[in-house]
Amino acid sequence: MISTTLLKLHGKPGEKTYSEVTMVTIKQVSEKAGVSSATVSRVINDTGTVKQKTRELVMQAMAELGYRHNVVAASLASNKTHTIGYVVPELHGSFFGAMMGGTEQALRQAKKHMLIATGHSDAQIEKEQIDALLSRRCDALILHVEAVSDEYLVSLVHQGVDLVVVNRFIEEIGDNCISLDNVKGGYLATRHLLDIGHTQIAYIAGSLFKADGKKRLTGHQQALADMGVEYTDNLTYEGNFQAKSGTEGIRALVARGAKFTAVACANDEMASGAMIALRELGRRMPEDVSVIGFDNVDFASYLSPGLTTIDYPVQKIGSMAAHWVLERVYGHSHHEYQHILSPRLILRGSTSSPE
Amino acid sequence: MISTTLLKLHGKPGEKTYSEVTMVTIKQVSEKAGVSSATVSRVINDTGTVKQKTRELVMQAMAELGYRHNVVAASLASNKTHTIGYVVPELHGSFFGAMMGGTEQALRQAKKHMLIATGHSDAQIEKEQIDALLSRRCDALILHVEAVSDEYLVSLVHQGVDLVVVNRFIEEIGDNCISLDNVKGGYLATRHLLDIGHTQIAYIAGSLFKADGKKRLTGHQQALADMGVEYTDNLTYEGNFQAKSGTEGIRALVARGAKFTAVACANDEMASGAMIALRELGRRMPEDVSVIGFDNVDFASYLSPGLTTIDYPVQKIGSMAAHWVLERVYGHSHHEYQHILSPRLILRGSTSSPE
DNA sequence: AGTTTAAGTGTAAGCGCTTTCATTTTTTAT
DNA sequence: ATAAAAAATGAAAGCGCTTACACTTAAACT
């Protein structure tokens, strides 16, 4: 319906939209340059062999006509879109932005683009979005999905879909997963508290039905065991990863008469909530009680005292995912990646030796 | 090169990638359903008229064959990609995620997708990205670009490119811009301080070569003027929107002997930096000095005291941009949008009447 | 029953590009 | 100079879909 010839343009004059008005084709370029369209394609894609002389001729013609490559047509013909589909739960907050930033940086150099969709932690929506991205023929998918089952993802991989699952580990397709060692993170946090002399350590856990919540707690327990400190449920409170549950956690622990000189939290939000409760109770930090978080979110350093925490290398996870795709899907070599990343301790003012 | 017939498949067995292995076409569906491919297209797109009976036949055939619509081919044929190109300076941080989130929410219902690119506040890169998105034949662009000139954007619009510029106002293409009333924001902040009784108000400005920095300062000055308080350069410090410059700002102001009971900052980062310096100087907040920020970033509420600030409705800007596109490019009506959004005051603990 | 009008389908021509294969031109080796 | 090999190029067949346009069938009027 929309054509190259201006004659066929519809709509009132002055209202021609971009795609209607300019559509110089490879054909026109080839005619102007006196070569075949195949040759023009070759210079555009830098494939095959083209004499320097002809290449210049073509470039000249493209410049003069104001040619713009039509990637859609190229994708159809070549069956490659150079596009990565990306599904994340949400766009707001700093976590996914950082992750996508890591991916984008690696992908930009390779001239790949990202098509972004949100899954809202809803299985139905997640599937629809994956479907839509597949319909758009993305060359690969990067998925941070939370509601969809392991089996579903496994089946996609078995169908031959090139995808990498981030921040989630599925044994059966471990090679397609890139995730953080959460047990180690939990271990590192509590180990730090133990190392500086604490023995009475409360723990505010994340939702235990979530893999991350459970693993971080496991790490906490392992650290205690390693250092010969007995673990007790009395010192543990199960929160839900929200700031408020950190506040409630401290109140609940105090209410049940738990004695502690330090508290480890399964994420920074809960740690900040815990700090609010501790301040209300008149406990100084870190003098009376040390607090450690997990994730190292942006605001951790803005809290006072600055929050000691475990760094979640989220940007790195994003870039690892990109490297996986570059190496596995596009066959670019020299793109190394690991499947399990290690967290590390970030020391700030919220922890110190007990007095 | 890659074809439907399995015969032509290359690569080792078991390594067939998704796109190679499955490619049921509309043709095959049409044969199975005993109709023409035009009819299949009609049911897929819900265009034209199709008898209920045939529609079911086609749906059935699609289900049985596991048909997946090829959006790339459809885009080429229809000259519509249902894709919006999005350029932001960076992906990390919470600002652009919130904005894109606002856009995505509005776009998802309309089944449009976002192709995301980063411009890194570099004119060269910004242009390249815009170019790439145009080559991918995005139906429209949403641009938060900082380095590229007004003229460049104006010329794109004049070329017929459907684009909306966010967080930036360009008179000549005002209809394509969606931005915040920064003057009003600056006004609101200082007006609040004045209203609660302050008269000695320091101002830590953002970079004044940036439009936002300048406008916020203008608002500050207008508020002073409105309330009959004289503006003096001695109480103003030009920062650069970074936290550190807030700290330096306070130090510089104090060093030059400025007297103030409140300080307004051009953004929250600088406000948090200012709070650090004030705390070092032993000034209590808000008792000795009130602090107000601008933007209402995530961590503003985590600071102690909570930071009173001006809300930047970034998510709303994102959704306005989406509505603009939906209305103007896709002709969906009932999508209202405004070009200039109003900021509003967010009261927290960092401001109070002077003692 | 005979027209009109509307509804439902099919035919086929693209959309702008890539890529195989055959052919021509150039280079290198004899 | 000539044969053989390598480098350049062109012709043409798609990629999978949309969409005028023509046509057939069904419904709605006289």
Side-chain angles (χ1 to χ4, degrees):
Chain A
M1 164 199 175
I2 283 159
S3 143
T4 313
T5 45
L6 293 178
L7 292 172
K8 286 199 189 172
L9 275 175
H10 59 18
K12 307 164 204 127
E15 288 199 1
K16 293 160 193 162
T17 164
Y18 177 73
S19 56
E20 286 171 319
V21 95
T22 99
M23 180 66 5
V24 179
T25 70
I26 228 179
K27 189 84 199 309
Q28 295 170 46
V29 173
S30 75
E31 279 161 9
K32 175 140 197 160
V35 298
S36 74
S37 60
T39 297
V40 176
S41 174
R42 289 189 187 102
V43 351
I44 289 170
N45 298 293
D46 201 20
T47 56
T49 47
V50 179
K51 214 178 358 181
Q52 180 58 23
K53 194 78 186 177
T54 25
R55 179 187 312 278
E56 279 161 18
L57 232 50
V58 171
M59 305 268 265
Q60 170 91 21
M62 293 201 298
E64 279 176 24
L65 294 174
Y67 173 77
R68 165 161 283 143
H69 192 46
N70 185 327
V71 175
V72 172
S75 294
L76 178 60
S78 68
N79 202 25
K80 285 224 169 321
T81 56
H82 302 286
T83 300
I84 316 299
Y86 218 127
V87 180
V88 293
E90 306 287 348
L91 254 19
H92 63 248
S94 56
F95 190 89
F96 298 112
M99 184 166 81
M100 298 190 307
T103 306
E104 202 273 345
Q105 194 170 9
L107 250 30
R108 190 158 58 87
Q109 280 142 229
K111 304 251 190 208
K112 308 303 178 195
H113 277 90
M114 311 191 313
L115 204 46
I116 295 195
T118 57
H120 299 278
S121 307
D122 176 302
Q124 174 77 16
I125 300 177
E126 287 177 353
K127 284 187 186 177
E128 284 171 8
Q129 296 285 35
I130 289 172
D131 233 56
L133 294 175
L134 254 17
S135 277
R136 287 178 127 85
R137 314 241 61 127
C138 290
D139 293 335
L141 303 183
I142 295 177
L143 309 175
H144 177 126
V145 284
E146 304 183 328
V148 117
S149 70
D150 283 5
E151 292 73 42
Y152 176 76
L153 294 168
V154 169
S155 83
L156 282 180
V157 171
H158 288 343
Q159 280 169 50
V161 176
D162 282 316
L163 61 83
V164 18
V165 174
V166 289
N167 304 310
R168 174 166 170 174
F169 182 74
I170 302 173
E171 184 94 43
E172 202 172 344
I173 51 170
D175 200 36
N176 298 70
C177 299
I178 291 177
S179 59
L180 179 74
D181 189 339
N182 276 294
V183 175
K184 183 168 180 185
Y187 183 93
L188 248 34
T190 296
R191 182 62 195 253
H192 165 61
L193 296 174
L194 290 163
D195 284 347
I196 59 178
H198 295 276
T199 51
Q200 298 176 301
I201 305 176
Y203 190 78
I204 298 181
S207 312
L208 293 178
F209 68 87
K210 292 193 175 178
D212 290 3
K214 201 154 39 184
K215 287 183 177 171
R216 291 175 186 189
L217 173 56
T218 301
H220 166 68
Q221 293 166 328
Q222 284 183 5
L224 290 177
D226 265 21
M227 301 298 281
V229 175
E230 200 185 352
Y231 169 80
T232 148
D233 274 340
N234 193 47
L235 277 171
T236 299
Y237 174 87
E238 180 180 349
N240 62 4
F241 286 126
Q242 315 260 33
K244 194 171 256 175
S245 75
T247 305
E248 288 158 1
I250 292 296
R251 289 183 189 146
L253 287 164
V254 168
R256 69 168 83 137
K259 298 274 177 244
F260 53 89
T261 60
V263 51
C265 303
N267 77 351
D268 293 344
E269 270 80 5
M270 293 195 298
S272 89
M275 285 168 76
I276 289 172
L278 288 167
R279 196 171 292 119
E280 283 174 4
L281 294 168
R283 309 273 196 111
R284 292 168 305 159
M285 294 163 282
E287 296 83 355
D288 301 332
V289 39
S290 288
V291 177
I292 187 167
F294 198 121
D295 280 350
N296 193 26
V297 298
D298 287 350
F299 69 75
S301 62
Y302 288 101
L303 295 172
S304 57
L307 182 65
T308 291
T309 189
I310 300 297
D311 185 54
Y312 195 124
V314 57
Q315 183 174 344
K316 189 158 189 181
I317 286 189
S319 72
M320 289 289 118
H323 288 307
W324 188 99
V325 171
L326 257 15
E327 165 109 18
R328 306 284 290 265
V329 178
Y330 294 111
H332 295 192
S333 41
H334 308 306
H335 280 284
E336 312 213 329
Y337 55 86
Q338 332 162 226
H339 291 289
I340 311 281
L341 302 196
S342 281
R344 61 186 224 286
L345 181 69
I346 304 289
L347 278 175
R348 296 206 181 88
S350 68
T351 52
S352 72
S353 296
E355 294 196 329
Chain B
M1 164 198 173
I2 284 159
S3 143
T4 315
T5 45
L6 293 178
L7 293 172
K8 286 199 188 170
L9 276 175
H10 60 19
K12 306 165 205 127
E15 289 200 0
K16 291 160 194 163
T17 165
Y18 176 74
S19 57
E20 286 170 320
V21 95
T22 99
M23 180 64 9
V24 179
T25 69
I26 229 178
K27 189 84 200 308
Q28 295 171 46
V29 173
S30 75
E31 279 161 8
K32 176 143 198 159
V35 298
S36 75
S37 60
T39 297
V40 176
S41 175
R42 289 188 187 104
V43 350
I44 290 171
N45 298 295
D46 201 22
T47 56
T49 47
V50 179
K51 216 182 349 184
Q52 180 58 23
K53 194 79 188 177
T54 16
R55 180 189 311 281
E56 280 161 16
L57 232 51
V58 171
M59 304 267 265
Q60 169 92 19
M62 293 200 299
E64 281 176 23
L65 294 174
Y67 173 76
R68 165 161 282 143
H69 191 48
N70 185 326
V71 175
V72 172
S75 294
L76 178 60
S78 68
N79 202 25
K80 285 228 168 316
T81 56
H82 302 285
T83 300
I84 316 299
Y86 218 128
V87 180
V88 293
E90 307 287 348
L91 254 19
H92 63 247
S94 55
F95 189 90
F96 298 112
M99 184 166 81
M100 297 190 307
T103 306
E104 203 272 346
Q105 194 169 9
L107 250 31
R108 191 158 57 86
Q109 281 142 231
K111 306 251 190 209
K112 309 302 179 196
H113 277 89
M114 310 192 312
L115 204 47
I116 295 196
T118 58
H120 301 278
S121 306
D122 175 302
Q124 172 78 17
I125 300 177
E126 288 177 352
K127 284 188 187 179
E128 284 172 9
Q129 298 284 35
I130 290 172
D131 233 56
L133 294 175
L134 255 17
S135 277
R136 282 170 184 245
R137 315 241 59 125
C138 291
D139 294 334
L141 302 183
I142 296 177
L143 308 174
H144 178 127
V145 284
E146 305 184 326
V148 118
S149 71
D150 284 5
E151 293 72 43
Y152 177 75
L153 294 168
V154 169
S155 83
L156 281 179
V157 171
H158 288 345
Q159 278 170 52
V161 176
D162 283 315
L163 62 84
V164 20
V165 174
V166 289
N167 305 310
R168 173 166 170 175
F169 182 74
I170 301 173
E171 184 94 43
E172 202 171 343
I173 51 171
D175 200 36
N176 299 69
C177 299
I178 292 178
S179 60
L180 178 75
D181 189 339
N182 276 292
V183 174
K184 185 169 179 185
Y187 183 93
L188 248 36
T190 296
R191 182 61 195 254
H192 165 62
L193 296 173
L194 290 162
D195 284 347
I196 59 178
H198 294 276
T199 51
Q200 297 177 300
I201 304 177
Y203 190 79
I204 298 182
S207 314
L208 294 178
F209 67 88
K210 292 193 176 178
D212 289 4
K214 201 155 38 183
K215 288 183 178 171
R216 291 174 187 190
L217 173 57
T218 301
H220 165 69
Q221 292 166 330
Q222 284 183 4
L224 290 177
D226 266 21
M227 300 298 280
V229 175
E230 200 184 353
Y231 169 80
T232 148
D233 274 341
N234 193 48
L235 278 171
T236 299
Y237 175 86
E238 179 179 350
N240 61 4
F241 285 125
Q242 315 259 33
K244 194 171 256 176
S245 75
T247 305
E248 287 158 3
I250 292 296
R251 289 183 189 145
L253 287 163
V254 169
R256 68 169 84 139
K259 296 277 178 243
F260 54 89
T261 61
V263 51
C265 303
N267 77 351
D268 293 343
E269 270 80 6
M270 292 195 299
S272 89
M275 285 169 74
I276 289 172
L278 289 166
R279 196 171 291 118
E280 282 174 6
L281 293 169
R283 309 274 196 109
R284 292 167 305 158
M285 292 163 281
E287 297 84 353
D288 301 332
V289 39
S290 289
V291 177
I292 187 167
F294 199 122
D295 282 350
N296 192 25
V297 298
D298 287 349
F299 69 75
S301 62
Y302 288 101
L303 295 172
S304 57
L307 182 65
T308 291
T309 189
I310 300 297
D311 185 54
Y312 196 125
V314 57
Q315 183 175 342
K316 188 157 189 183
I317 286 189
S319 71
M320 290 289 117
H323 289 307
W324 189 100
V325 171
L326 257 16
E327 165 108 17
R328 307 285 290 265
V329 178
Y330 295 111
H332 296 192
S333 40
H334 309 306
H335 280 285
E336 312 215 325
Y337 54 86
Q338 333 162 224
H339 290 289
I340 310 280
L341 302 195
S342 279
R344 60 184 226 286
L345 181 69
I346 303 290
L347 279 174
R348 296 207 182 87
S350 67
T351 52
S352 71
S353 296
E355 296 196 328

